[in-house]
Amino acid sequence: MTTGSTSTIAKCSRMFEDFCCTSCRELNLEESAEIYCEACRMFYCKRCGHLHNRLSSEHTTVGRGDISKWPASKEVEDFIRKCEVHADKTLTQFCHDHSQLCCSDCVVTIHSQYSQVTPISELTSTHSTDLQGLSMKLKTILGDMKSLQNNQEASMQTLQGSYTDHEGSVIQQLCLNINTTVDAFADSTVSLSDENEQYIKAELCRNVNSILNAFDNRSVKELSHMNDAVISIKGSITNSINKCISLQNDLTQFYKIIHKIGDNKELLLIASMKCGQKLRQALAVLGKSDNVFSVLGKSEHNVRIPSDSDSIQCRIIAICALPDGQFLVADNINKKVKLLNKQCQVVSHLGVTALPLDMCQITPSEVAVIVNDVNTHEVQFITVKQSLLVPERKFQLKHACTGIAHNQGDLFIASGRALFKYTLCGKQVCRLYEDVSYEKTVEKCAVSPTGDKLYIASYWQNKLLTLARDGTLLAILTDQNLGEPSGLHVTPAGQVLVCGWMSHTILQVDGEGKRKLTIVAKGERDGVEDPESVCFSSTTSSIIVGQSRDIILVFKVE
């Protein structure tokens, strides 16, 4: 966020605060207008208005009491008509094929000769604008955007605080280990000869050095890795905050000017279309997009590698898509995490200590994998470095783990019957939700992009639960296509995808978790068999489906 852009926004904001006197502006003065003259097509301040009325008493003027009858000021009209691609051009046409407003240059350079393009003036009779409804939407979205910004800023502070506390506890443990060692040797030096005392002192030095070396080799590396992750997450949050502020500024401008357009239908149409585009961007940032996926094509890819078990097929129980187009899959049967390139070929793999059950992205190059068996309940962090998988730190859990999700430094871990919240450092914060009435009631979990909603796949109960961030139950969805929901994923725009294992179905559910939007893929029709996991890649615009087979499915979508 630069001061230059902030000052430009502030200047632009002042421009739309009020109608300015046309005569004063010609003298480089800014005075608020009090009347509008229809004959002169000019705005006048109180002083200029008195002069105008004396010289042109026959002209009809409209005062502020009927401000809705005032036309848009030149600044407002220029702002609305300005092309965002070619700043020196005016919007004159609308491309139906791309649903975009365009200027003459846009038509030539962007929209092909085969596109259906219509002059904006011809659309005013067929398109109506609900000014009041638009104003209400803007007001609501602006409130949501401000809340999101506040939450993001709070998350940044919490994340840094969590790391600082962990760093302090690690150093405190180091000091405790050294003090304990020193105290033990101090007790042993009582009533000893000088020769023995010198030997014990030397042994003490060796032990302290050993503690310090272990700290350097393990704890310092762990803290450095964690600090890198915190910096990366804070950078992501900062980018999100900047995008949020930018959209708030744009939407605020529209909120201020839509009531100053008057009855100019063409301007109202352009403003509503521009505003609609910004609102859709805002909804995506808020994670509230319910745009329904449609499948354009499908491909199949084999993820078996020579070192896999010969006796049984792979079981791809979790998938994570990386920003560079690569993605990772967790193979439960073979106890491996595999890295696939953009061509869906396995380029690296890494063994884990127990059965991997789920995986989530932490930074653009790091994932957290939960591994679980009778004796092991662990979160293992893995980094992708130059197309290689590198094991990093890990922490133990005191309960079973079946699902994991991450949002801005918060980890949400499902245990089969409960959902817990952890810090990135491995500290349990609280138990958010619990259902001990049945087995696998809290099997998998996911979180909305803004962190305000949590989703739970209740496997044996064939349900999708939606919780508030504090664990309050908001909605329960049951559907025949949810048969034993196994995989769960939320896209960056807030679209919710669920695997129905028994129904061989990939569903898209609305962001509120209350209704099914569409069946993305199903059974023999699309080659879906026992789906275990699902993930959306924004980079490749594709939905990746893992199964209890060697084959993964990649659906190209829009």
Side-chain angles (χ1 to χ4, degrees):
M1 191 178 357
T2 64
T3 54
S5 62
T6 303
S7 62
T8 302
I9 289 165
K11 182 178 179 182
C12 192
S13 179
R14 288 194 300 271
M15 183 187 298
F16 299 132
E17 283 293 339
D18 206 354
F19 291 88
C20 292
C21 174
T22 311
S23 298
C24 289
R25 174 150 294 176
E26 291 172 354
L27 299 173
N28 292 323
L29 300 173
E30 286 196 14
E31 291 291 337
S32 178
E34 295 295 328
I35 61 170
Y36 171 72
C37 176
E38 295 177 343
C40 299
R41 295 186 178 181
M42 293 178 67
F43 298 96
Y44 295 107
C45 64
K46 190 173 182 179
R47 181 174 58 81
C48 293
H50 285 313
L51 181 60
H52 167 270
N53 291 340
R54 285 202 303 269
L55 298 174
S56 307
S57 57
E58 72 281 4
H59 288 185
T60 301
T61 60
V62 182
R64 280 191 171 270
D66 291 320
I67 200 169
S68 61
K69 296 179 181 178
W70 288 16
S73 66
K74 184 179 184 303
E75 291 77 19
V76 169
E77 184 166 352
D78 289 347
F79 174 78
I80 293 171
R81 290 188 181 278
K82 180 181 178 181
C83 177
E84 294 185 1
V85 179
H86 306 98
D88 59 335
K89 296 293 183 178
T90 299
L91 296 170
T92 56
Q93 300 182 75
F94 180 76
C95 176
H96 296 271
D97 293 351
H98 300 97
S99 298
Q100 286 183 357
L101 294 162
C102 38
C103 67
S104 56
D105 283 4
C106 288
V107 174
V108 174
T109 60
I110 301 174
H111 306 278
S112 71
Q113 58 180 320
Y114 303 107
S115 299
Q116 183 185 354
V117 178
T118 305
I120 295 172
S121 57
E122 294 181 12
L123 299 176
T124 55
S125 59
T126 57
H127 288 69
S128 59
T129 302
D130 179 8
L131 199 60
Q132 186 175 1
L134 184 61
S135 179
M136 289 299 294
K137 281 183 183 178
L138 282 167
K139 189 173 183 179
T140 301
I141 293 295
L142 279 167
D144 291 343
M145 294 290 283
K146 186 61 181 175
S147 296
L148 172 60
Q149 182 187 336
N150 292 339
N151 291 338
Q152 289 170 330
E153 290 169 350
S155 293
M156 189 111 71
Q157 293 180 357
T158 301
L159 177 63
Q160 183 61 53
S162 173
Y163 172 75
T164 302
D165 290 345
H166 181 69
E167 184 181 42
S169 66
V170 169
I171 294 172
Q172 186 178 23
Q173 185 62 49
L174 169 66
C175 295
L176 179 62
N177 292 343
I178 293 174
N179 288 337
T180 301
T181 302
V182 171
D183 290 344
F185 275 92
D187 293 339
S188 65
T189 59
V190 177
S191 303
L192 290 177
S193 65
D194 290 342
E195 184 178 343
N196 286 336
E197 186 174 346
Q198 289 299 319
Y199 171 79
I200 289 176
K201 285 181 178 179
E203 190 67 18
L204 170 61
C205 288
R206 282 192 292 271
N207 276 271
V208 171
N209 283 331
S210 176
I211 293 172
L212 291 172
N213 288 334
F215 178 81
D216 286 342
N217 293 333
R218 185 181 65 252
S219 299
V220 170
K221 180 183 177 183
E222 176 186 310
L223 286 173
S224 175
H225 176 253
M226 284 184 59
N227 186 51
D228 290 343
V230 168
I231 291 171
S232 177
I233 295 168
K234 285 172 68 176
S236 175
I237 297 174
T238 299
N239 289 337
S240 183
I241 290 173
N242 290 340
K243 185 183 292 185
C244 193
I245 290 172
S246 177
L247 276 169
Q248 283 184 76
N249 289 327
D250 290 341
L251 292 172
T252 298
Q253 300 292 37
F254 281 110
Y255 185 72
K256 288 178 179 179
I257 69 175
I258 56 175
H259 297 288
K260 299 181 179 182
I261 297 175
D263 59 358
N264 188 318
K265 292 183 178 180
E266 191 170 325
L267 280 186
L268 280 172
L269 180 60
I270 298 172
S272 65
M273 287 182 172
K274 273 189 165 185
C275 191
Q277 183 182 16
K278 294 295 181 183
L279 285 171
R280 286 189 291 274
Q281 292 176 16
L283 287 172
V285 169
L286 289 167
K288 293 184 177 181
S289 173
D290 277 336
N291 290 338
V292 177
F293 286 117
S294 59
V295 176
L296 302 177
K298 186 196 79 172
S299 58
E300 299 184 357
H301 306 273
N302 195 314
V303 295
R304 172 174 287 278
I305 58 176
S307 59
D308 287 345
S309 170
D310 293 330
S311 60
I312 193 168
Q313 293 206 53
C314 301
R315 185 188 181 200
I316 305 305
I317 202 163
I319 305 171
C320 269
L322 302 178
D324 61 3
Q326 298 187 105
F327 58 97
L328 295 98
V329 299
D331 184 348
N332 174 269
I333 291 295
N334 294 290
K335 295 184 182 180
K336 293 173 183 172
V337 174
K338 301 174 180 178
L339 175 66
L340 281 69
N341 62 17
K342 295 177 183 178
Q343 291 74 42
C344 300
Q345 301 165 327
V346 179
V347 294
S348 181
H349 65 91
L350 181 70
V352 290
T353 54
L355 294 172
L357 291 183
D358 204 2
M359 177 169 55
C360 67
Q361 188 170 342
I362 304 299
T363 72
S365 61
E366 182 184 56
V367 297
V369 183
I370 53 168
V371 297
N372 189 77
D373 60 21
V374 176
N375 300 312
T376 305
H377 316 302
E378 189 174 272
V379 178
Q380 168 75 67
F381 294 85
I382 299 173
T383 298
V384 180
K385 294 181 179 179
Q386 298 179 341
S387 294
L388 292 174
L389 297 181
V390 180
E392 301 288 357
R393 65 190 181 89
K394 60 177 71 173
F395 65 80
Q396 308 298 319
L397 302 169
K398 295 181 180 179
H399 55 76
C401 49
T402 57
I404 188 169
H406 169 255
N407 178 260
Q408 296 182 353
D410 291 328
L411 289 175
F412 302 95
I413 299 178
S415 70
R417 290 188 172 186
L419 181 67
F420 297 88
K421 179 179 176 181
Y422 280 80
T423 68
L424 206 58
C425 307
K427 178 183 178 182
Q428 186 182 123
V429 179
C430 64
R431 179 182 297 163
L432 287 165
Y433 178 83
E434 186 173 35
D435 183 353
V436 297
S437 64
Y438 213 67
E439 295 289 336
K440 297 188 175 184
T441 53
V442 187
E443 187 69 2
K444 288 291 187 290
C445 60
V447 58
S448 65
T450 55
D452 63 327
K453 288 185 179 65
L454 301 164
Y455 304 93
I456 292 174
S458 184
Y459 187 78
W460 289 124
Q461 294 179 320
N462 300 325
K463 295 177 180 177
L464 175 70
L465 311 180
T466 303
L467 313 179
R469 193 177 178 89
D470 64 359
T472 304
L473 182 62
L474 299 176
I476 300 176
L477 176 66
T478 57
D479 188 282
Q480 61 179 357
N481 292 294
L482 270 178
E484 297 181 2
S486 50
L488 189 56
H489 176 73
V490 183
T491 74
Q495 296 139 308
V496 182
L497 297 170
V498 191
C499 294
W501 185 82
M502 190 172 65
S503 60
H504 312 294
T505 305
I506 307 299
L507 300 176
Q508 182 181 349
V509 176
D510 77 302
E512 299 298 317
K514 295 179 179 179
R515 60 190 178 93
K516 175 183 70 181
L517 294 179
T518 189
I519 294 176
V520 178
K522 185 175 178 66
E524 290 185 10
R525 183 191 76 185
D526 301 302
V528 179
E529 183 180 344
D530 303 332
E532 296 274 7
S533 54
V534 62
C535 181
F536 173 71
S537 170
S538 303
T539 306
T540 60
S541 295
S542 57
I543 292 174
I544 307 148
V545 178
Q547 306 175 100
S548 297
R549 302 168 59 201
D550 294 342
I551 302 298
I552 62 168
L553 306 175
V554 178
F555 294 94
K556 193 74 176 177
V557 295
E558 66 172 2

